[in-house]
Amino acid sequence: DPLPFPSEAGRAGGFGVIVATAVDPAHPAAAVLAALRSLDVQPPVYGRLESPGRFVRHQIRMQLRKRGWA
């Protein structure tokens, strides 16, 4: 589950890049990949990254849950 904790549900799509391109509905992933590969510079970003402390806490919690210890 990419969002294993209820507090993470609101974070989906909270960070990313902006790439303007036409997307072929039949092959959307290929269109996005081609657009990303053709970039000469870093595309604009939006949102905020997770803090290092929050990231580490979530990684530990996920591993504990995975192993049945939490």
Side-chain angles (χ1 to χ4, degrees):
D1 184 356
L3 301 170
F5 307 114
S7 64
E8 296 297 290
R11 293 189 45 85
F15 183 82
V17 298
I18 301 169
V19 179
T21 188
V23 176
D24 177 2
H27 304 284
V32 172
L33 184 58
L36 290 171
R37 286 183 172 159
S38 70
L39 293 173
D40 294 332
V41 296
Q42 168 73 38
V45 298
Y46 65 89
R48 288 186 350 197
L49 291 173
E50 192 169 59
S51 72
R54 183 179 171 114
F55 173 79
V56 169
R57 280 192 306 277
H58 283 144
Q59 293 300 310
I60 291 170
R61 286 179 62 200
M62 284 190 291
Q63 291 303 314
L64 292 173
R65 179 184 282 180
K66 179 179 172 182
R67 288 163 172 69
W69 298 339

